[in-house]
Amino acid sequence: MIKIEVDMNQCQHYGQCVFEAPDNFKLNDDDKLEYVAEAPDSERDNIEAAVDVCPMQAIRIVE
Amino acid sequence: MSEANPAAPVVIVGAAMGGLRAAESLRRSGYTGAIRVVGEELHAPYNRPPLSKEVLASDVTHEAVAFPSRAEMGDVEWMLGVRATAVDLDAHTLTTDDGSVQEWRALVIATGLRARRLDFAPIAGRHVVRSLDDAMALRAELTEGARVVVVGSGFLGCELSATARKLGCEVTIVTPSAEPMMRPLGDLVAKEMRRRLTDEGVEIFSGVTVAAINGEAAVESVELSDGRVIEADVVIESVGSHCNIEWLEGTNLDVADGVLADNAMRAVTTDGRALDDVYVVGDIARFPNPMFDNVARRIEHWNIPTDTGKRAGAVLAAHLADDGSFADVVAKPFAPMPSFWSNQFEIKLQAYGLLGLVSDDDIRVLEGDLSDQAAVGYYREGRLVGVLGIGMKAALLPYRKQIAEGGA
């Protein structure tokens, strides 16, 4: 299992992560980020890609 | 060309985001040999956009912008504070300003851009913002009441204006353009952006250039091409950039505008050959993106160093593995979606695609109202090639998909 943390003080809700890991990240109707804090190991590449594309570098994988 | 020494490292020149992503991608793609990253700045790779926005408005520190270091990067060698001065593609060597000459097995060109300066004598109070050190130096002078003249009205100039205003400075933009952000956004949106910036107290002098920067020990005033004089304590020059290609002089690479690469990010020579052991990533790479056409372009958007760095790392790893996978990896589709964002006061812009491909007649509001929140479409020959959100985000997603699928 991968554990994900998003610093919601940093997050500006750009939603770039949504394209990389749609199972874990989405923008809600108010344009705010919602995320699922756990992902199966099979999602690691996608989660790491989401970490990379965050303009605010607000996402991290808790090892 | 002579054979490269297989014991030599892959040398990545440029230690910013593109170089970092290329190194990470080499490791993730299975390359276990030596990697060395050579960079002019002393700082480990960091995220530049906050330097004109959030971070400039608070404390400018490396910690606030540093990219996290991944476990697989533990044995990558960082040679920082060293500038590349020459390269020999035939001998597979790189020369640096510390006098050393090093061998490489493969080369990644990731030296990016540097800020263009106005052609006036150096004087205290003149600034650019490209690096962390630049931002630190500027931050110290953005004190309450300081009179700031921002030269240039691209995204960077407008963001810096907004941040300086938030910090209590008096801000004047001086620009040769008719409207701020005219070239990237087009006339329709640029006019609305002028209204919003002006409402926030930013003064905009358009259609003029800087004739002189006056002052004894430090900046005192800026003289414009129309004769007006603006008193100033700080001048911020955001007047474009130069590609860092000087070290590639004498090679047969195509450096007409940045460095030409093919769709696999392999460097291309002036006689049209793609080199399997030389790659180009980031702002400096001029490469074709089949999402739009087969024209090679440089794209100065934030996502491009990551996308091109990953692509170059994967292709280079396959070349070095020599396991028969190379042709398949090169043939994999690579059509990165350009994306950018810009925050100015409460204005949040976000865009996908290539807005700059489009003439003013082909820009129209898709949803909402320009004076409030809107999605704006950019069309080329009837095809959607770009979408801009003003305060809209999730609403852009169907348009993003449409751009990616060919804009029909």
Side-chain angles (χ1 to χ4, degrees):
Chain A
M1 218 53 173
I2 305 166
K3 202 168 168 340
I4 304 160
E5 251 178 38
V6 181
D7 181 340
M8 294 311 286
N9 293 320
Q10 289 272 341
C11 174
Q12 295 282 332
H13 314 278
Y14 288 113
Q16 302 295 304
C17 49
V18 173
F19 304 108
E20 303 295 342
D23 291 353
N24 281 83
F25 300 97
K26 71 166 194 170
L27 286 179
N28 68 20
D29 292 341
D30 294 325
D31 275 352
K32 297 290 181 227
L33 182 78
E34 289 178 0
Y35 72 103
V36 182
E38 284 187 343
D41 287 322
S42 59
E43 274 289 299
R44 178 170 286 272
D45 284 356
N46 293 340
I47 304 293
E48 287 189 345
V51 170
D52 287 349
V53 300
C54 173
M56 302 308 298
Q57 294 288 292
I59 308 170
R60 84 188 177 99
I61 297 173
V62 187
E63 301 288 358
Chain B
M1 257 207 237
S2 62
E3 281 298 300
N5 173 5
V10 171
V11 172
I12 298 172
V13 185
M17 183 161 57
L20 173 69
R21 297 296 184 229
E24 289 173 346
S25 172
L26 276 165
R27 281 285 178 262
R28 283 187 204 179
S29 305
Y31 172 71
T32 55
I35 301 175
R36 181 182 298 144
V37 187
V38 177
E40 188 173 3
E41 284 185 62
L42 280 167
H43 305 291
Y46 57 87
N47 196 25
R48 292 188 198 278
L51 296 179
S52 58
K53 304 189 268 280
E54 302 83 359
V55 167
L56 186 63
S58 54
D59 278 339
V60 188
T61 62
H62 183 253
E63 198 189 355
V65 287
F67 286 117
S69 178
R70 295 218 155 94
E72 73 261 26
M73 296 285 285
D75 60 353
V76 170
E77 183 192 345
W78 296 87
M79 200 172 156
L80 300 177
V82 173
R83 186 166 52 87
T85 53
V87 67
D88 186 327
L89 298 184
D90 192 48
H92 298 90
T93 57
L94 175 76
T95 306
T96 47
D97 66 349
D98 58 353
S100 70
V101 177
Q102 52 187 295
E103 269 191 298
W104 45 263
R105 182 184 187 189
L107 183 75
V108 179
I109 297 167
T111 40
L113 313 177
R114 65 177 179 277
R116 190 167 87 76
R117 299 300 307 244
L118 296 172
D119 192 14
F120 298 113
I123 185 170
R126 288 182 59 190
H127 293 268
V128 292
V129 177
R130 174 79 192 168
S131 69
L132 178 61
D133 293 346
D134 293 338
M136 286 176 175
L138 174 63
R139 181 66 183 86
E141 295 190 16
L142 294 181
T143 49
E144 177 128 25
R147 298 163 301 176
V148 177
V149 171
V150 176
V151 186
S153 63
F155 291 115
L156 180 64
C158 292
E159 288 167 3
L160 290 166
S161 299
T163 305
R165 191 85 191 101
K166 266 196 257 181
L167 290 168
C169 304
E170 289 174 32
V171 179
T172 306
I173 292 177
V174 172
T175 176
S177 299
E179 306 292 346
M181 297 167 281
M182 178 88 167
R183 201 171 33 159
L185 298 183
D187 183 59
L188 179 73
V189 178
K191 281 199 165 74
E192 168 62 15
M193 292 305 291
R194 172 195 281 265
R195 186 188 69 76
R196 295 190 186 207
L197 293 172
T198 305
D199 279 356
E200 297 282 359
V202 175
E203 185 145 22
I204 302 175
F205 290 175
S206 46
V208 285
T209 56
V210 175
I213 297 176
N214 303 318
E216 295 282 325
V219 171
E220 291 169 16
S221 67
V222 173
E223 198 176 318
L224 306 186
S225 51
D226 62 1
R228 276 183 290 188
V229 175
I230 310 168
E231 291 190 354
D233 307 301
V234 176
V235 176
I236 307 176
E237 303 168 19
S238 55
V239 290
S241 49
H242 291 294
C243 294
N244 291 318
I245 52 166
E246 289 76 4
W247 62 289
L248 298 169
E249 261 173 39
T251 68
N252 61 348
L253 298 179
D254 182 337
V255 293
D257 172 23
V259 185
L260 182 63
D262 70 358
N263 185 255
M265 302 319 296
R266 290 179 293 189
V268 176
T269 61
T270 48
D271 56 0
R273 280 179 309 122
L275 305 179
D276 290 342
D277 58 0
V278 182
Y279 292 76
V280 194
V281 306
D283 291 342
I284 198 173
R286 176 165 44 101
F287 68 101
N289 185 341
M291 186 180 289
F292 303 99
D293 48 36
N294 58 9
V295 177
R297 291 185 188 85
R298 288 196 312 106
I299 305 176
E300 293 180 28
H301 290 341
W302 182 82
N303 68 301
I304 293 297
T306 291
D307 289 337
T308 55
K310 286 183 175 181
R311 171 70 166 161
V315 176
L316 175 54
H319 167 64
L320 296 173
D322 200 18
D323 59 0
S325 69
F326 185 63
D328 286 345
V329 174
V330 167
K332 268 177 93 169
F334 177 62
M337 172 66 76
S339 70
F340 69 81
W341 75 98
S342 183
N343 288 356
Q344 300 160 28
F345 301 104
E346 296 311 308
I347 314 162
K348 307 240 186 224
L349 301 177
Q350 186 160 11
Y352 298 105
L354 288 179
L355 283 53
L357 293 181
V358 169
S359 61
D360 278 333
D361 301 337
D362 297 310
I363 301 172
R364 55 181 183 265
V365 176
L366 300 167
E367 289 183 31
D369 182 340
L370 266 189
S371 64
D372 181 27
Q373 293 195 324
V376 183
Y378 292 70
Y379 291 83
R380 184 174 66 167
E381 290 160 15
R383 191 200 132 172
L384 188 70
V385 291
V387 65
L388 172 76
I390 304 174
M392 278 192 177
K393 284 173 183 155
L396 304 181
L397 303 188
Y399 300 110
R400 182 190 189 275
K401 190 157 176 279
Q402 197 180 330
I403 296 165
E405 288 169 354

